Amino acid sequence: MAGPSPSPHKPRRKAKRSADPTSSFGNSGSVRPVETLVRAPAFPLAAFLWPARGTVSQWELLPLILMAAGLFRWAAGLWGYSGFERPPMFGDYEAQRHWMEVTTQLPISQWYFHDLEWWGLDYPPLTAYHSWLCGKIGSLIDPSWFALFSSRGSHDPALKVFMRATVIVSEYLIYVPAVVIFVRRYSRLSGLTNWSAAVALVAILMQPATILIDHVHFQYNTVMLGFVVASMSSMLAGRNLWAAVFFVAALGFKQMALYYAFSVFTYLLGNCIFPRVNIPRFVAIAAVTAASFAILLLPLVVGALYDVRRGIDSRPDIDGPRPPLPLFQGLAVYLDTEAFYYPVVEQLVQMVHRIFPFARGLFEDKVANFWCALNVVIKLKKYPAPLLQRGALLATLASILPPNLVLFLRPRKDLLPLAFAATAWGFFLFSYQVHEKSVLLPLMPMTLLLAGSHGLSKSTRAWVGFANILGCWTMFPLLQRVDLAMPYTVLTLLWAYLLGLPPTSLGVYLQETGNTWSHWATVFIHGSFYLAMAFWHVLALVLSPPPDKPDLWVVANVGVGAAGFSLCYLWCLWRLLNESEILPRSWFRRKEKAKVQ
């Protein structure tokens, strides 16, 4: 009797997966069976989390990660802050505290007009609303913290605790949830394991630049960054309307979110055109965007009209005829100052004037961007302001058009961090009125690459780590001026140690296989910059600049930083072009694909 006929279906093969980048056997990018992966962690951050690998669920691990990140932030806040006991202006800490008293003690129509010489409000309305909320809560604890005029320059220790707490609470309500959700979605899109996603999440939350600026120097940048990450996360989920809402919120909190505006626009527009034209989607996105801006401005508009009805003047410090606002010079003759709409127009014009300070010039302080570096060779301030504005505009457009053209033609979710990073680098390097702290904007999407495909591999960690450490280094003169050199040293070296980066380790540049010309070029370039940064610190510590060149070390910092950031821009742009597959196939891309496979 014949045996049973063989089944026509072949047994399914066990799926193989890419090597875990947190394993020391997973850096070559080759495909290996899962059982060969569990050997040893590749860098200290993975080693710290290694005991929980495979034994702790993500819902148990996530609270531990958030608690650890919060403790580091609170510990960083034990140091001083910008302007501590430094009259007459007392720094950014005093600016944030002052906005809380302005928004809680004055009518809304006076917020953008009050005493502009003493930290006048110069951020969009959502920052003002946030300051109002924090000020109202703080006034319930101690009204003297926000007593107009009499509380200027206050360094009450209890007030410091409250102010630090507002930063952490704001970050944990906006930025941290947005990053957690983005990492989860982006890592799944990229095929990462939950464990690798958890390691990437810790690395992102421990990014030193954001901690140094927000929790040490003192600001609320992570609120704006959180709204941007929420917008990117919504794009990953295909929720384009929510992406528009969150990005309007980011713009409404800080105007620096314009660094990402082109990428948001081109991605959403590309989604409305490719693979086929979708007019209803375009109309819906435009309508939601307009409605979001209207809701954002509504309290300011209604408040201005209400104050007029109550007889409250927006500029009570001016007696007699009031001079037109700067932006009204060519518009005032066409407006009826007695019309009901005039107070609203006045409020909106003043807000725009405060948010975009073109009168301050191309740059105020020395920043590691193209214009400050060029100013060392060619004194730009001798040129007329309109010419410099046009030059900055053209240079910025030339730098951001390539990545956004790619994103428009290839509106793919996996390209979002690279496109956002390249665009933000272009703005940082070439735009008008850049500040040192603006480097947080290109660093954020570039750091998010850690949660993507091969994000924890040596090559990606090397470039992401290089950008972050260089970014912290360029902010050192700012931090040193307010006696914050110690937290800079501790937090930067800690992050470098956790990710196995120089100067604590050279392991990220030691390839087991696949040593190509690009690898050795990276080793040489990064090594040169790390040596330059270390040598600069030694010189600045032991040698005083010559009397005729008091800014010598700061100028050197600007030059090295601008060169390094330009390389980061080129790296992000090249990776974007390569991964978008928009360029013709080349021997380099074939080799890279063969290496990954």
Side-chain angles (χ1 to χ4, degrees):
M1 181 177 180
S5 60
S7 173
H9 301 286
K10 295 183 179 180
R12 180 178 298 175
R13 294 182 179 180
K14 292 185 178 180
K16 295 183 179 182
R17 56 199 293 186
S18 298
D20 194 328
T22 60
S23 167
S24 60
F25 286 80
N27 295 308
S28 64
S30 59
V31 178
R32 302 187 181 190
V34 176
E35 58 269 15
T36 66
L37 301 180
V38 188
R39 296 293 183 85
F43 47 94
L45 179 57
F48 283 127
L49 298 176
W50 201 258
R53 180 184 173 92
T55 61
V56 179
S57 72
Q58 59 177 327
W59 299 112
E60 294 172 317
L61 186 59
L62 180 60
L64 297 176
I65 292 173
L66 299 184
M67 285 189 290
L71 286 174
F72 271 99
R73 281 158 168 74
W74 190 257
L78 297 177
W79 272 293
Y81 48 80
S82 170
F84 178 66
E85 296 182 351
R86 287 178 176 267
M89 297 302 291
F90 298 101
D92 285 351
Y93 176 90
E94 169 60 19
Q96 302 292 340
R97 187 211 62 80
H98 177 61
W99 295 342
M100 293 179 190
E101 68 183 5
V102 165
T103 53
T104 55
Q105 303 299 321
L106 294 176
I108 192 171
S109 62
Q110 296 179 6
W111 287 1
Y112 284 98
F113 292 95
H114 176 74
D115 197 3
L116 300 181
E117 298 300 319
W118 183 272
W119 296 117
L121 183 61
D122 56 2
Y123 280 117
L126 194 54
T127 285
Y129 307 152
H130 175 262
S131 298
W132 175 85
L133 180 60
C134 292
K136 284 294 185 182
I137 296 173
S139 297
L140 296 176
I141 302 172
D142 189 342
S144 67
W145 290 346
F146 308 109
L148 201 62
F149 299 112
S150 63
S151 59
R152 289 185 175 182
S154 173
H155 294 300
D156 184 348
L159 173 60
K160 175 187 174 182
V161 172
F162 171 77
M163 296 289 281
R164 294 294 197 196
T166 61
V167 178
I168 291 182
V169 172
S170 300
E171 183 169 335
Y172 269 70
L173 288 175
I174 305 296
Y175 179 75
V176 171
V179 170
V180 170
I181 296 172
F182 177 88
V183 168
R184 184 167 299 166
R185 289 174 176 168
Y186 192 55
S187 61
R188 288 177 179 173
L189 179 67
S190 305
L192 262 67
T193 64
N194 289 336
W195 176 256
S196 295
V199 175
L201 176 63
V202 177
I204 295 168
L205 293 180
M206 291 297 294
Q207 184 186 17
T210 54
I211 299 177
L212 283 169
I213 294 300
D214 279 20
H215 299 277
V216 181
H217 189 272
F218 199 88
Q219 278 201 353
Y220 297 93
N221 292 289
T222 49
V223 176
M224 178 269 293
L225 294 175
F227 283 127
V228 175
V229 176
S231 180
M232 296 172 67
S233 183
S234 299
M235 295 176 191
L236 293 181
R239 299 169 182 169
N240 293 333
L241 299 182
W242 277 110
V245 171
F246 284 128
F247 189 68
V248 169
L251 284 172
F253 197 85
K254 284 200 173 186
Q255 61 271 31
M256 291 187 301
L258 284 170
Y259 279 34
Y260 308 114
F262 270 77
S263 295
V264 173
F265 173 76
T266 53
Y267 177 81
L268 294 179
L269 182 62
N271 264 268
C272 296
I273 296 178
F274 303 104
R276 61 181 180 275
V277 176
N278 192 327
I279 299 298
R281 178 183 294 174
F282 177 81
V283 172
I285 292 174
V288 167
T289 301
S292 300
F293 274 113
I295 294 172
L296 179 69
L297 297 173
L298 185 62
L300 196 66
V301 171
V302 173
L305 294 175
Y306 180 63
D307 286 348
V308 170
R309 176 171 293 186
R310 293 190 298 164
I312 295 176
D313 191 354
S314 62
R315 292 191 277 176
D317 54 322
I318 300 177
D319 296 327
R322 296 188 295 184
L325 298 173
L327 292 185
F328 265 132
Q329 298 299 329
L331 187 64
V333 295
Y334 301 103
L335 296 175
D336 180 7
T337 58
E338 301 300 325
F340 76 94
Y341 62 80
Y342 184 80
V344 175
V345 176
E346 185 182 52
Q347 284 290 325
L348 298 180
V349 169
Q350 176 68 357
M351 179 191 68
V352 172
H353 171 65
R354 294 295 300 162
I355 291 173
F356 300 104
F358 290 108
R360 296 181 187 177
L362 186 60
F363 55 86
E364 284 185 284
D365 206 350
K366 294 178 176 61
V367 185
N369 74 344
F370 173 79
W371 301 116
C372 288
L374 181 62
N375 189 65
V376 178
V377 182
I378 304 173
K379 298 306 177 184
L380 297 175
K381 292 189 177 181
K382 67 181 181 181
Y383 294 98
L387 177 62
L388 296 176
Q389 291 174 6
R390 288 194 293 269
L393 176 62
L394 292 175
T396 304
L397 289 175
S399 66
I400 67 175
L401 280 177
N404 287 286
L405 183 61
V406 173
L407 190 62
F408 171 71
L409 297 175
R410 297 285 192 277
R412 287 174 18 199
K413 300 174 182 179
D414 59 311
L415 300 179
L416 285 171
L418 283 170
F420 274 60
T423 303
W425 279 125
F427 267 99
F428 180 83
L429 287 168
F430 299 106
S431 63
Y432 202 83
Q433 265 293 316
V434 174
H435 295 272
E436 305 100 318
K437 293 160 284 190
S438 300
V439 75
L440 296 178
L441 281 86
L443 287 180
M444 183 273 289
M446 193 170 178
T447 307
L448 292 179
L449 291 172
L450 295 174
S453 178
H454 302 285
L456 295 175
S457 64
K458 288 184 176 181
S459 59
T460 304
R461 270 190 297 129
W463 276 99
V464 172
F466 170 73
N468 275 276
I469 293 173
L470 182 65
C472 292
W473 180 76
T474 59
M475 291 189 293
F476 178 78
L478 170 72
L479 298 170
Q480 187 184 39
R481 285 198 297 266
V482 289
D483 301 323
L484 297 177
M486 182 58 71
Y488 155 82
T489 304
V490 172
L491 292 172
T492 305
L493 291 180
L494 173 65
W495 198 74
Y497 167 74
L498 290 176
L499 292 185
L501 301 167
T504 61
S505 172
L506 299 177
V508 74
Y509 297 105
L510 302 178
Q511 297 279 359
E512 296 174 0
T513 59
N515 292 329
T516 62
W517 66 269
S518 60
H519 164 67
W520 288 114
T522 301
V523 171
F524 175 76
I525 293 172
H526 288 189
S528 300
F529 275 91
Y530 280 118
L531 288 175
M533 287 188 278
F535 188 57
W536 181 90
H537 272 301
V538 173
L539 290 179
L541 182 64
V542 302
L543 292 178
S544 298
D548 59 331
K549 296 180 180 178
D551 296 330
L552 176 62
W553 304 134
V554 179
V555 170
N557 184 289
V558 165
V560 174
F565 292 151
S566 299
L567 292 174
C568 293
Y569 164 77
L570 293 174
W571 181 80
C572 291
L573 180 59
W574 172 247
R575 273 200 59 176
L576 177 65
L577 292 170
N578 196 32
E579 295 186 11
S580 66
E581 300 181 351
I582 202 169
L583 294 179
R585 294 180 63 88
S586 65
W587 67 269
F588 179 77
R589 286 186 51 216
R590 286 198 299 270
K591 189 172 183 180
E592 288 297 317
K593 285 191 174 183
K595 180 181 174 182
V596 171
Q597 295 172 355

